[in-house]
Amino acid sequence: GTVVNNYNVGGLPAEGLAVRVAASPDAEVLGRLWEGERVEVTSQKIWNGDTPYYTVNFGAAGGYVNANFIVLDTEAAPV
């Protein structure tokens, strides 16, 4: 998938898209991804309340990202 700046959900944070240890906005941040960066998505959407997450390959461990900011290779980018 590709990281996108989805204005439908407030836009990509200025500090980049957080890659977290769990599918939660409060989970520890492993690192950041930037608009246009490609990442390997390794799961279907996982929901935590109203927020969807994907698991992604990130470093040696992998992590979770907010799926609102990822466009899969088979999807069209949000407008």
Side-chain angles (χ1 to χ4, degrees):
T2 303
V3 178
V4 295
N5 194 354
N6 186 349
Y7 294 104
N8 295 329
V9 290
L12 190 66
E15 66 274 12
L17 179 60
V19 181
R20 299 182 181 275
V21 298
S24 168
D26 300 320
E28 178 185 348
V29 175
L30 297 169
R32 303 279 178 178
L33 296 171
W34 306 100
E35 185 175 2
E37 195 168 349
R38 294 191 47 76
V39 64
E40 182 182 3
V41 174
T42 58
S43 74
Q44 298 292 321
K45 286 181 181 171
I46 300 164
W47 290 88
N48 181 351
D50 292 335
T51 305
Y53 289 85
Y54 285 127
T55 56
V56 297
N57 278 339
F58 187 82
Y64 295 82
V65 295
N66 184 326
N68 288 315
F69 297 102
I70 301 290
V71 172
L72 299 179
D73 295 338
T74 58
E75 294 179 338
V79 290

Short mmCIF file of all heavy atoms in Angstrom, two decimals:
data_model
loop_
_atom_site.label_atom_id
_atom_site.label_comp_id
_atom_site.label_asym_id
_atom_site.label_seq_id
_atom_site.Cartn_x
_atom_site.Cartn_y
_atom_site.Cartn_z
N GLY A 1 0.82 -1.19 0.00
CA GLY A 1 0.00 0.00 0.00
C GLY A 1 0.86 1.24 0.00
O GLY A 1 2.07 1.17 0.19
N THR A 2 0.21 2.38 -0.17
CA THR A 2 0.91 3.67 -0.21
C THR A 2 0.29 4.60 0.83
O THR A 2 -0.93 4.66 0.97
CB THR A 2 0.80 4.30 -1.61
OG1 THR A 2 1.34 3.39 -2.57
CG2 THR A 2 1.56 5.61 -1.69
N VAL A 3 1.13 5.35 1.54
CA VAL A 3 0.66 6.33 2.51
C VAL A 3 0.10 7.53 1.76
O VAL A 3 0.74 8.05 0.85
CB VAL A 3 1.80 6.78 3.44
CG1 VAL A 3 1.31 7.84 4.42
CG2 VAL A 3 2.39 5.59 4.20
N VAL A 4 -1.14 7.93 2.12
CA VAL A 4 -1.78 9.07 1.48
C VAL A 4 -2.22 10.09 2.53
O VAL A 4 -2.41 9.76 3.69
CB VAL A 4 -3.01 8.65 0.64
CG1 VAL A 4 -2.59 7.78 -0.53
CG2 VAL A 4 -4.06 7.96 1.48
N ASN A 5 -2.40 11.32 2.08
CA ASN A 5 -2.89 12.40 2.95
C ASN A 5 -4.40 12.47 2.77
O ASN A 5 -4.89 13.11 1.86
CB ASN A 5 -2.22 13.72 2.58
CG ASN A 5 -2.43 14.77 3.63
OD1 ASN A 5 -3.16 14.56 4.59
ND2 ASN A 5 -1.78 15.90 3.46
N ASN A 6 -5.14 11.78 3.62
CA ASN A 6 -6.59 11.66 3.49
C ASN A 6 -7.27 12.79 4.24
O ASN A 6 -7.44 12.75 5.45
CB ASN A 6 -7.04 10.30 4.04
CG ASN A 6 -8.51 10.03 3.82
OD1 ASN A 6 -9.26 10.92 3.44
ND2 ASN A 6 -8.93 8.81 4.06
N TYR A 7 -7.69 13.82 3.49
CA TYR A 7 -8.33 14.98 4.12
C TYR A 7 -9.72 14.65 4.66
O TYR A 7 -10.26 15.39 5.47
CB TYR A 7 -8.40 16.14 3.14
CG TYR A 7 -7.02 16.67 2.79
CD1 TYR A 7 -6.43 16.37 1.58
CD2 TYR A 7 -6.31 17.45 3.70
CE1 TYR A 7 -5.16 16.84 1.28
CE2 TYR A 7 -5.05 17.92 3.41
CZ TYR A 7 -4.47 17.61 2.20
OH TYR A 7 -3.22 18.07 1.90
N ASN A 8 -10.30 13.53 4.26
CA ASN A 8 -11.61 13.12 4.77
C ASN A 8 -11.57 12.83 6.27
O ASN A 8 -12.60 12.84 6.93
CB ASN A 8 -12.13 11.88 4.02
CG ASN A 8 -12.40 12.17 2.56
OD1 ASN A 8 -12.76 13.28 2.20
ND2 ASN A 8 -12.22 11.17 1.73
N VAL A 9 -10.40 12.54 6.80
CA VAL A 9 -10.26 12.26 8.23
C VAL A 9 -9.27 13.23 8.89
O VAL A 9 -8.60 12.90 9.85
CB VAL A 9 -9.84 10.79 8.49
CG1 VAL A 9 -10.96 9.84 8.15
CG2 VAL A 9 -8.57 10.43 7.72
N GLY A 10 -9.20 14.43 8.35
CA GLY A 10 -8.40 15.48 8.99
C GLY A 10 -6.99 15.65 8.44
O GLY A 10 -6.27 16.53 8.89
N GLY A 11 -6.57 14.83 7.52
CA GLY A 11 -5.24 14.97 6.93
C GLY A 11 -4.17 14.21 7.69
O GLY A 11 -4.31 13.91 8.88
N LEU A 12 -3.10 13.89 6.99
CA LEU A 12 -1.96 13.18 7.57
C LEU A 12 -1.31 14.05 8.64
O LEU A 12 -1.07 15.24 8.41
CB LEU A 12 -0.96 12.85 6.46
CG LEU A 12 0.19 11.92 6.80
CD1 LEU A 12 -0.34 10.52 7.10
CD2 LEU A 12 1.18 11.87 5.66
N PRO A 13 -1.03 13.50 9.82
CA PRO A 13 -0.38 14.31 10.86
C PRO A 13 0.95 14.88 10.37
O PRO A 13 1.67 14.23 9.61
CB PRO A 13 -0.16 13.30 12.00
CG PRO A 13 -1.18 12.24 11.77
CD PRO A 13 -1.34 12.14 10.27
N ALA A 14 1.28 16.08 10.82
CA ALA A 14 2.52 16.74 10.41
C ALA A 14 3.75 15.90 10.74
O ALA A 14 4.75 15.94 10.03
CB ALA A 14 2.62 18.11 11.07
N GLU A 15 3.67 15.12 11.82
CA GLU A 15 4.81 14.30 12.24
C GLU A 15 4.86 12.96 11.52
O GLU A 15 5.71 12.13 11.82
CB GLU A 15 4.81 14.10 13.76
CG GLU A 15 3.66 13.27 14.29
CD GLU A 15 2.39 14.07 14.59
OE1 GLU A 15 2.28 15.24 14.18
OE2 GLU A 15 1.50 13.52 15.24
N GLY A 16 3.95 12.74 10.56
CA GLY A 16 3.94 11.49 9.80
C GLY A 16 2.96 10.49 10.39
O GLY A 16 2.38 10.70 11.46
N LEU A 17 2.76 9.40 9.67
CA LEU A 17 1.85 8.34 10.10
C LEU A 17 2.57 7.43 11.08
O LEU A 17 3.60 6.84 10.76
CB LEU A 17 1.38 7.54 8.88
CG LEU A 17 0.43 6.38 9.15
CD1 LEU A 17 -0.86 6.84 9.82
CD2 LEU A 17 0.13 5.64 7.86
N ALA A 18 2.02 7.31 12.28
CA ALA A 18 2.64 6.49 13.32
C ALA A 18 2.49 5.01 13.01
O ALA A 18 1.42 4.55 12.64
CB ALA A 18 2.00 6.80 14.67
N VAL A 19 3.60 4.27 13.15
CA VAL A 19 3.57 2.81 13.14
C VAL A 19 3.66 2.40 14.61
O VAL A 19 4.60 2.75 15.31
CB VAL A 19 4.76 2.23 12.35
CG1 VAL A 19 4.69 0.71 12.35
CG2 VAL A 19 4.77 2.77 10.93
N ARG A 20 2.63 1.67 15.08
CA ARG A 20 2.50 1.39 16.52
C ARG A 20 2.64 -0.09 16.82
O ARG A 20 2.48 -0.94 15.94
CB ARG A 20 1.15 1.91 17.02
CG ARG A 20 1.01 3.41 16.85
CD ARG A 20 -0.30 3.92 17.39
NE ARG A 20 -0.44 5.35 17.20
CZ ARG A 20 0.04 6.28 18.02
NH1 ARG A 20 0.71 5.94 19.10
NH2 ARG A 20 -0.14 7.56 17.76
N VAL A 21 2.89 -0.41 18.09
CA VAL A 21 3.05 -1.80 18.52
C VAL A 21 1.72 -2.52 18.63
O VAL A 21 1.68 -3.74 18.69
CB VAL A 21 3.82 -1.92 19.86
CG1 VAL A 21 5.23 -1.37 19.72
CG2 VAL A 21 3.08 -1.23 20.98
N ALA A 22 0.61 -1.77 18.66
CA ALA A 22 -0.73 -2.35 18.76
C ALA A 22 -1.71 -1.46 18.00
O ALA A 22 -1.40 -0.30 17.70
CB ALA A 22 -1.16 -2.48 20.22
N ALA A 23 -2.89 -1.98 17.74
CA ALA A 23 -3.92 -1.24 17.00
C ALA A 23 -4.66 -0.31 17.95
O ALA A 23 -5.83 -0.49 18.26
CB ALA A 23 -4.88 -2.21 16.33
N SER A 24 -3.94 0.70 18.43
CA SER A 24 -4.50 1.65 19.37
C SER A 24 -3.78 2.99 19.22
O SER A 24 -2.56 3.01 19.06
CB SER A 24 -4.32 1.14 20.80
OG SER A 24 -4.61 2.16 21.75
N PRO A 25 -4.52 4.11 19.33
CA PRO A 25 -3.87 5.42 19.24
C PRO A 25 -2.96 5.71 20.43
O PRO A 25 -2.14 6.62 20.37
CB PRO A 25 -5.04 6.41 19.18
CG PRO A 25 -6.17 5.69 19.82
CD PRO A 25 -5.97 4.23 19.50
N ASP A 26 -3.08 4.91 21.49
CA ASP A 26 -2.25 5.10 22.69
C ASP A 26 -1.05 4.18 22.74
O ASP A 26 -0.24 4.28 23.66
CB ASP A 26 -3.11 4.89 23.94
CG ASP A 26 -4.27 5.86 24.01
OD1 ASP A 26 -4.07 7.04 23.66
OD2 ASP A 26 -5.37 5.43 24.37
N ALA A 27 -0.92 3.27 21.75
CA ALA A 27 0.19 2.31 21.76
C ALA A 27 1.50 3.00 21.43
O ALA A 27 1.54 4.03 20.74
CB ALA A 27 -0.09 1.20 20.77
N GLU A 28 2.59 2.42 21.90
CA GLU A 28 3.93 2.93 21.65
C GLU A 28 4.19 3.06 20.15
O GLU A 28 3.81 2.20 19.36
CB GLU A 28 4.95 1.98 22.27
CG GLU A 28 6.39 2.36 22.03
CD GLU A 28 7.37 1.32 22.55
OE1 GLU A 28 6.96 0.41 23.29
OE2 GLU A 28 8.54 1.41 22.18
N VAL A 29 4.87 4.15 19.78
CA VAL A 29 5.20 4.41 18.38
C VAL A 29 6.56 3.80 18.06
O VAL A 29 7.55 4.09 18.73
CB VAL A 29 5.21 5.93 18.08
CG1 VAL A 29 5.67 6.21 16.66
CG2 VAL A 29 3.84 6.53 18.33
N LEU A 30 6.58 2.94 17.04
CA LEU A 30 7.83 2.31 16.59
C LEU A 30 8.59 3.19 15.61
O LEU A 30 9.81 3.14 15.51
CB LEU A 30 7.53 0.98 15.90
CG LEU A 30 6.88 -0.10 16.76
CD1 LEU A 30 6.39 -1.24 15.89
CD2 LEU A 30 7.89 -0.59 17.79
N GLY A 31 7.84 3.98 14.83
CA GLY A 31 8.44 4.83 13.82
C GLY A 31 7.37 5.57 13.05
O GLY A 31 6.20 5.52 13.42
N ARG A 32 7.76 6.23 11.97
CA ARG A 32 6.83 7.06 11.19
C ARG A 32 6.96 6.74 9.71
O ARG A 32 8.04 6.40 9.22
CB ARG A 32 7.13 8.55 11.39
CG ARG A 32 7.09 9.01 12.84
CD ARG A 32 5.71 9.25 13.31
NE ARG A 32 5.69 9.65 14.72
CZ ARG A 32 4.59 9.96 15.36
NH1 ARG A 32 3.43 9.94 14.74
NH2 ARG A 32 4.62 10.28 16.63
N LEU A 33 5.84 6.89 9.01
CA LEU A 33 5.81 6.78 7.55
C LEU A 33 5.35 8.12 6.99
O LEU A 33 4.61 8.85 7.65
CB LEU A 33 4.85 5.67 7.11
CG LEU A 33 5.22 4.25 7.54
CD1 LEU A 33 4.07 3.29 7.23
CD2 LEU A 33 6.49 3.80 6.85
N TRP A 34 5.75 8.40 5.75
CA TRP A 34 5.47 9.71 5.15
C TRP A 34 4.64 9.57 3.90
O TRP A 34 4.63 8.51 3.26
CB TRP A 34 6.78 10.43 4.84
CG TRP A 34 7.62 10.50 6.07
CD1 TRP A 34 8.67 9.70 6.38
CD2 TRP A 34 7.44 11.35 7.20
NE1 TRP A 34 9.16 10.01 7.63
CE2 TRP A 34 8.43 11.02 8.16
CE3 TRP A 34 6.53 12.36 7.50
CZ2 TRP A 34 8.53 11.67 9.38
CZ3 TRP A 34 6.65 13.01 8.73
CH2 TRP A 34 7.63 12.67 9.64
N GLU A 35 3.93 10.63 3.53
CA GLU A 35 3.09 10.62 2.34
C GLU A 35 3.88 10.14 1.12
O GLU A 35 5.01 10.57 0.90
CB GLU A 35 2.53 12.02 2.07
CG GLU A 35 1.55 12.05 0.92
CD GLU A 35 0.90 13.40 0.73
OE1 GLU A 35 1.22 14.36 1.45
OE2 GLU A 35 0.05 13.50 -0.17
N GLY A 36 3.30 9.21 0.38
CA GLY A 36 3.93 8.66 -0.80
C GLY A 36 4.80 7.45 -0.53
O GLY A 36 5.19 6.74 -1.45
N GLU A 37 5.12 7.21 0.73
CA GLU A 37 5.94 6.05 1.08
C GLU A 37 5.14 4.77 0.91
O GLU A 37 3.96 4.71 1.20
CB GLU A 37 6.42 6.19 2.54
CG GLU A 37 7.54 5.27 2.89
CD GLU A 37 8.19 5.63 4.22
OE1 GLU A 37 7.92 6.73 4.77
OE2 GLU A 37 8.96 4.80 4.71
N ARG A 38 5.81 3.73 0.40
CA ARG A 38 5.15 2.44 0.21
C ARG A 38 5.46 1.53 1.38
O ARG A 38 6.55 1.57 1.94
CB ARG A 38 5.61 1.81 -1.11
CG ARG A 38 5.15 2.62 -2.31
CD ARG A 38 5.33 1.94 -3.63
NE ARG A 38 4.88 0.56 -3.68
CZ ARG A 38 3.59 0.17 -3.77
NH1 ARG A 38 2.64 1.07 -3.81
NH2 ARG A 38 3.28 -1.10 -3.84
N VAL A 39 4.46 0.72 1.73
CA VAL A 39 4.61 -0.20 2.86
C VAL A 39 3.86 -1.49 2.52
O VAL A 39 2.84 -1.46 1.82
CB VAL A 39 4.07 0.45 4.16
CG1 VAL A 39 2.59 0.73 4.09
CG2 VAL A 39 4.42 -0.38 5.37
N GLU A 40 4.38 -2.62 2.98
CA GLU A 40 3.71 -3.90 2.75
C GLU A 40 2.65 -4.12 3.82
O GLU A 40 2.96 -4.21 5.01
CB GLU A 40 4.71 -5.04 2.77
CG GLU A 40 4.06 -6.39 2.47
CD GLU A 40 5.01 -7.55 2.54
OE1 GLU A 40 6.20 -7.36 2.87
OE2 GLU A 40 4.55 -8.68 2.27
N VAL A 41 1.39 -4.19 3.38
CA VAL A 41 0.27 -4.46 4.28
C VAL A 41 0.14 -5.97 4.42
O VAL A 41 0.12 -6.69 3.43
CB VAL A 41 -1.04 -3.85 3.73
CG1 VAL A 41 -2.23 -4.23 4.58
CG2 VAL A 41 -0.90 -2.33 3.64
N THR A 42 0.05 -6.45 5.67
CA THR A 42 0.06 -7.89 5.91
C THR A 42 -1.23 -8.42 6.53
O THR A 42 -1.26 -9.55 7.01
CB THR A 42 1.26 -8.26 6.81
OG1 THR A 42 1.15 -7.54 8.05
CG2 THR A 42 2.58 -7.92 6.13
N SER A 43 -2.29 -7.61 6.54
CA SER A 43 -3.56 -8.07 7.11
C SER A 43 -4.73 -7.35 6.45
O SER A 43 -4.55 -6.34 5.78
CB SER A 43 -3.62 -7.79 8.61
OG SER A 43 -3.82 -6.40 8.85
N GLN A 44 -5.91 -7.87 6.69
CA GLN A 44 -7.14 -7.14 6.40
C GLN A 44 -7.28 -6.06 7.47
O GLN A 44 -6.53 -6.03 8.45
CB GLN A 44 -8.34 -8.09 6.46
CG GLN A 44 -8.28 -9.21 5.44
CD GLN A 44 -8.43 -8.70 4.02
OE1 GLN A 44 -9.22 -7.80 3.76
NE2 GLN A 44 -7.66 -9.26 3.11
N LYS A 45 -8.28 -5.18 7.32
CA LYS A 45 -8.51 -4.15 8.33
C LYS A 45 -8.86 -4.78 9.66
O LYS A 45 -9.60 -5.76 9.74
CB LYS A 45 -9.64 -3.21 7.90
CG LYS A 45 -9.22 -2.26 6.82
CD LYS A 45 -10.35 -1.32 6.45
CE LYS A 45 -9.89 -0.40 5.33
NZ LYS A 45 -10.99 0.40 4.79
N ILE A 46 -8.31 -4.20 10.72
CA ILE A 46 -8.60 -4.57 12.10
C ILE A 46 -9.23 -3.32 12.72
O ILE A 46 -8.66 -2.24 12.64
CB ILE A 46 -7.30 -4.92 12.86
CG1 ILE A 46 -6.59 -6.10 12.19
CG2 ILE A 46 -7.57 -5.18 14.33
CD1 ILE A 46 -5.15 -6.25 12.62
N TRP A 47 -10.40 -3.48 13.31
CA TRP A 47 -11.10 -2.31 13.85
C TRP A 47 -10.86 -2.18 15.35
O TRP A 47 -10.93 -3.14 16.09
CB TRP A 47 -12.59 -2.41 13.57
CG TRP A 47 -12.88 -2.24 12.12
CD1 TRP A 47 -12.90 -3.22 11.18
CD2 TRP A 47 -13.14 -1.03 11.43
NE1 TRP A 47 -13.16 -2.68 9.93
CE2 TRP A 47 -13.32 -1.34 10.07
CE3 TRP A 47 -13.26 0.30 11.84
CZ2 TRP A 47 -13.60 -0.36 9.11
CZ3 TRP A 47 -13.54 1.26 10.89
CH2 TRP A 47 -13.70 0.93 9.54
N ASN A 48 -10.59 -0.94 15.78
CA ASN A 48 -10.52 -0.58 17.19
C ASN A 48 -11.48 0.59 17.35
O ASN A 48 -11.16 1.72 17.00
CB ASN A 48 -9.10 -0.19 17.60
CG ASN A 48 -9.02 0.16 19.07
OD1 ASN A 48 -10.02 0.29 19.76
ND2 ASN A 48 -7.81 0.34 19.57
N GLY A 49 -12.69 0.29 17.81
CA GLY A 49 -13.72 1.33 17.84
C GLY A 49 -14.06 1.74 16.42
O GLY A 49 -14.35 0.89 15.58
N ASP A 50 -13.99 3.04 16.14
CA ASP A 50 -14.30 3.56 14.80
C ASP A 50 -13.07 3.65 13.90
O ASP A 50 -13.17 4.11 12.78
CB ASP A 50 -14.92 4.95 14.91
CG ASP A 50 -16.30 4.92 15.54
OD1 ASP A 50 -16.96 3.87 15.48
OD2 ASP A 50 -16.71 5.95 16.11
N THR A 51 -11.90 3.25 14.39
CA THR A 51 -10.67 3.42 13.63
C THR A 51 -10.18 2.09 13.07
O THR A 51 -9.96 1.15 13.82
CB THR A 51 -9.57 4.03 14.52
OG1 THR A 51 -10.06 5.24 15.09
CG2 THR A 51 -8.31 4.32 13.71
N PRO A 52 -9.98 2.03 11.74
CA PRO A 52 -9.43 0.82 11.14
C PRO A 52 -7.90 0.87 11.15
O PRO A 52 -7.29 1.93 11.00
CB PRO A 52 -9.96 0.88 9.71
CG PRO A 52 -10.03 2.34 9.41
CD PRO A 52 -10.40 3.01 10.73
N TYR A 53 -7.29 -0.29 11.33
CA TYR A 53 -5.83 -0.43 11.29
C TYR A 53 -5.45 -1.54 10.33
O TYR A 53 -6.23 -2.47 10.10
CB TYR A 53 -5.28 -0.78 12.68
CG TYR A 53 -5.35 0.35 13.66
CD1 TYR A 53 -6.50 0.59 14.38
CD2 TYR A 53 -4.27 1.20 13.86
CE1 TYR A 53 -6.59 1.65 15.28
CE2 TYR A 53 -4.35 2.26 14.75
CZ TYR A 53 -5.50 2.47 15.46
OH TYR A 53 -5.58 3.52 16.34
N TYR A 54 -4.24 -1.45 9.78
CA TYR A 54 -3.61 -2.54 9.04
C TYR A 54 -2.35 -2.94 9.80
O TYR A 54 -1.69 -2.08 10.40
CB TYR A 54 -3.17 -2.12 7.64
CG TYR A 54 -4.26 -1.96 6.62
CD1 TYR A 54 -4.38 -0.77 5.89
CD2 TYR A 54 -5.15 -2.99 6.33
CE1 TYR A 54 -5.36 -0.62 4.93
CE2 TYR A 54 -6.13 -2.84 5.37
CZ TYR A 54 -6.23 -1.66 4.67
OH TYR A 54 -7.20 -1.52 3.71
N THR A 55 -2.00 -4.21 9.72
CA THR A 55 -0.65 -4.59 10.14
C THR A 55 0.25 -4.44 8.92
O THR A 55 -0.16 -4.69 7.79
CB THR A 55 -0.58 -6.03 10.69
OG1 THR A 55 -1.09 -6.92 9.71
CG2 THR A 55 -1.37 -6.17 11.97
N VAL A 56 1.48 -3.99 9.16
CA VAL A 56 2.42 -3.74 8.08
C VAL A 56 3.80 -4.27 8.46
O VAL A 56 4.11 -4.42 9.65
CB VAL A 56 2.53 -2.22 7.76
CG1 VAL A 56 1.20 -1.67 7.26
CG2 VAL A 56 3.02 -1.42 8.97
N ASN A 57 4.61 -4.55 7.46
CA ASN A 57 6.01 -4.88 7.70
C ASN A 57 6.74 -3.58 7.98
O ASN A 57 6.72 -2.66 7.17
CB ASN A 57 6.62 -5.58 6.49
CG ASN A 57 6.31 -7.05 6.46
OD1 ASN A 57 5.98 -7.65 7.49
ND2 ASN A 57 6.40 -7.66 5.30
N PHE A 58 7.36 -3.51 9.14
CA PHE A 58 8.11 -2.31 9.53
C PHE A 58 9.28 -2.77 10.37
O PHE A 58 9.09 -3.20 11.50
CB PHE A 58 7.22 -1.34 10.30
CG PHE A 58 7.88 -0.02 10.58
CD1 PHE A 58 7.92 0.97 9.61
CD2 PHE A 58 8.48 0.23 11.80
CE1 PHE A 58 8.53 2.19 9.85
CE2 PHE A 58 9.09 1.44 12.07
CZ PHE A 58 9.12 2.42 11.09
N GLY A 59 10.46 -2.69 9.82
CA GLY A 59 11.62 -3.17 10.55
C GLY A 59 11.53 -4.67 10.77
O GLY A 59 10.91 -5.39 10.00
N ALA A 60 12.10 -5.15 11.84
CA ALA A 60 12.14 -6.58 12.12
C ALA A 60 10.83 -7.10 12.69
O ALA A 60 10.55 -8.29 12.60
CB ALA A 60 13.29 -6.88 13.07
N ALA A 61 10.02 -6.21 13.28
CA ALA A 61 8.87 -6.68 14.04
C ALA A 61 7.53 -6.48 13.34
O ALA A 61 6.60 -7.23 13.57
CB ALA A 61 8.83 -5.97 15.40
N GLY A 62 7.41 -5.47 12.51
CA GLY A 62 6.10 -5.12 11.99
C GLY A 62 5.38 -4.23 12.97
O GLY A 62 5.83 -4.01 14.09
N GLY A 63 4.23 -3.71 12.55
CA GLY A 63 3.48 -2.82 13.42
C GLY A 63 2.10 -2.55 12.84
O GLY A 63 1.68 -3.19 11.87
N TYR A 64 1.40 -1.60 13.44
CA TYR A 64 0.04 -1.25 13.07
C TYR A 64 -0.02 0.20 12.64
O TYR A 64 0.61 1.06 13.27
CB TYR A 64 -0.90 -1.44 14.26
CG TYR A 64 -1.03 -2.88 14.70
CD1 TYR A 64 -0.07 -3.46 15.52
CD2 TYR A 64 -2.10 -3.65 14.29
CE1 TYR A 64 -0.18 -4.78 15.93
CE2 TYR A 64 -2.23 -4.98 14.69
CZ TYR A 64 -1.26 -5.53 15.51
OH TYR A 64 -1.37 -6.84 15.89
N VAL A 65 -0.78 0.47 11.57
CA VAL A 65 -0.98 1.85 11.11
C VAL A 65 -2.47 2.11 10.91
O VAL A 65 -3.24 1.19 10.63
CB VAL A 65 -0.23 2.15 9.79
CG1 VAL A 65 1.26 2.06 9.97
CG2 VAL A 65 -0.69 1.24 8.67
N ASN A 66 -2.86 3.38 11.05
CA ASN A 66 -4.23 3.79 10.80
C ASN A 66 -4.54 3.57 9.32
O ASN A 66 -3.92 4.19 8.46
CB ASN A 66 -4.40 5.26 11.20
CG ASN A 66 -5.80 5.76 11.06
OD1 ASN A 66 -6.55 5.35 10.16
ND2 ASN A 66 -6.19 6.68 11.93
N ALA A 67 -5.49 2.69 9.03
CA ALA A 67 -5.79 2.31 7.64
C ALA A 67 -6.41 3.46 6.84
O ALA A 67 -6.42 3.40 5.61
CB ALA A 67 -6.73 1.10 7.62
N ASN A 68 -6.89 4.51 7.49
CA ASN A 68 -7.44 5.66 6.77
C ASN A 68 -6.39 6.35 5.91
O ASN A 68 -6.73 7.12 5.02
CB ASN A 68 -8.05 6.67 7.75
CG ASN A 68 -9.33 6.18 8.37
OD1 ASN A 68 -10.19 5.65 7.68
ND2 ASN A 68 -9.46 6.33 9.67
N PHE A 69 -5.11 6.12 6.21
CA PHE A 69 -4.03 6.78 5.49
C PHE A 69 -3.24 5.84 4.59
O PHE A 69 -2.15 6.17 4.15
CB PHE A 69 -3.10 7.48 6.49
CG PHE A 69 -3.80 8.56 7.26
CD1 PHE A 69 -4.21 8.34 8.56
CD2 PHE A 69 -4.08 9.78 6.67
CE1 PHE A 69 -4.88 9.32 9.26
CE2 PHE A 69 -4.74 10.77 7.38
CZ PHE A 69 -5.14 10.55 8.68
N ILE A 70 -3.79 4.66 4.32
CA ILE A 70 -3.14 3.69 3.44
C ILE A 70 -4.08 3.36 2.28
O ILE A 70 -5.25 3.03 2.50
CB ILE A 70 -2.80 2.38 4.19
CG1 ILE A 70 -1.86 2.64 5.37
CG2 ILE A 70 -2.22 1.34 3.23
CD1 ILE A 70 -0.46 3.04 4.99
N VAL A 71 -3.58 3.47 1.07
CA VAL A 71 -4.33 3.04 -0.10
C VAL A 71 -3.66 1.76 -0.60
O VAL A 71 -2.46 1.75 -0.89
CB VAL A 71 -4.33 4.10 -1.21
CG1 VAL A 71 -4.95 3.55 -2.48
CG2 VAL A 71 -5.10 5.32 -0.76
N LEU A 72 -4.44 0.68 -0.63
CA LEU A 72 -3.91 -0.58 -1.13
C LEU A 72 -3.69 -0.47 -2.64
O LEU A 72 -4.33 0.35 -3.31
CB LEU A 72 -4.89 -1.72 -0.82
CG LEU A 72 -5.16 -1.95 0.67
CD1 LEU A 72 -6.15 -3.09 0.84
CD2 LEU A 72 -3.87 -2.24 1.43
N ASP A 73 -2.82 -1.29 -3.15
CA ASP A 73 -2.49 -1.24 -4.59
C ASP A 73 -3.72 -1.47 -5.46
O ASP A 73 -3.76 -1.07 -6.60
CB ASP A 73 -1.41 -2.27 -4.92
CG ASP A 73 -0.10 -1.92 -4.21
OD1 ASP A 73 0.11 -0.75 -3.85
OD2 ASP A 73 0.70 -2.84 -4.02
N THR A 74 -4.77 -2.10 -4.90
CA THR A 74 -5.97 -2.41 -5.67
C THR A 74 -7.07 -1.37 -5.47
O THR A 74 -8.16 -1.53 -5.99
CB THR A 74 -6.52 -3.79 -5.26
OG1 THR A 74 -6.78 -3.78 -3.86
CG2 THR A 74 -5.53 -4.89 -5.60
N GLU A 75 -6.81 -0.30 -4.70
CA GLU A 75 -7.82 0.72 -4.41
C GLU A 75 -7.47 2.04 -5.08
O GLU A 75 -6.31 2.31 -5.36
CB GLU A 75 -7.92 0.98 -2.90
CG GLU A 75 -8.43 -0.18 -2.10
CD GLU A 75 -8.48 0.14 -0.61
OE1 GLU A 75 -7.78 1.04 -0.15
OE2 GLU A 75 -9.23 -0.56 0.07
N ALA A 76 -8.45 2.87 -5.27
CA ALA A 76 -8.23 4.24 -5.75
C ALA A 76 -7.98 5.14 -4.55
O ALA A 76 -8.51 4.92 -3.48
CB ALA A 76 -9.44 4.73 -6.53
N ALA A 77 -7.16 6.15 -4.73
CA ALA A 77 -6.87 7.11 -3.65
C ALA A 77 -8.12 7.91 -3.32
O ALA A 77 -8.93 8.21 -4.18
CB ALA A 77 -5.75 8.04 -4.07
N PRO A 78 -8.29 8.29 -2.03
CA PRO A 78 -9.43 9.12 -1.65
C PRO A 78 -9.30 10.50 -2.28
O PRO A 78 -8.20 11.00 -2.49
CB PRO A 78 -9.35 9.19 -0.12
CG PRO A 78 -7.93 8.86 0.20
CD PRO A 78 -7.42 7.97 -0.90
N VAL A 79 -10.44 11.11 -2.55
CA VAL A 79 -10.44 12.46 -3.14
C VAL A 79 -11.00 13.47 -2.18
O VAL A 79 -11.69 13.14 -1.27
CB VAL A 79 -11.22 12.50 -4.46
CG1 VAL A 79 -10.48 11.73 -5.54
CG2 VAL A 79 -12.62 11.97 -4.28
#
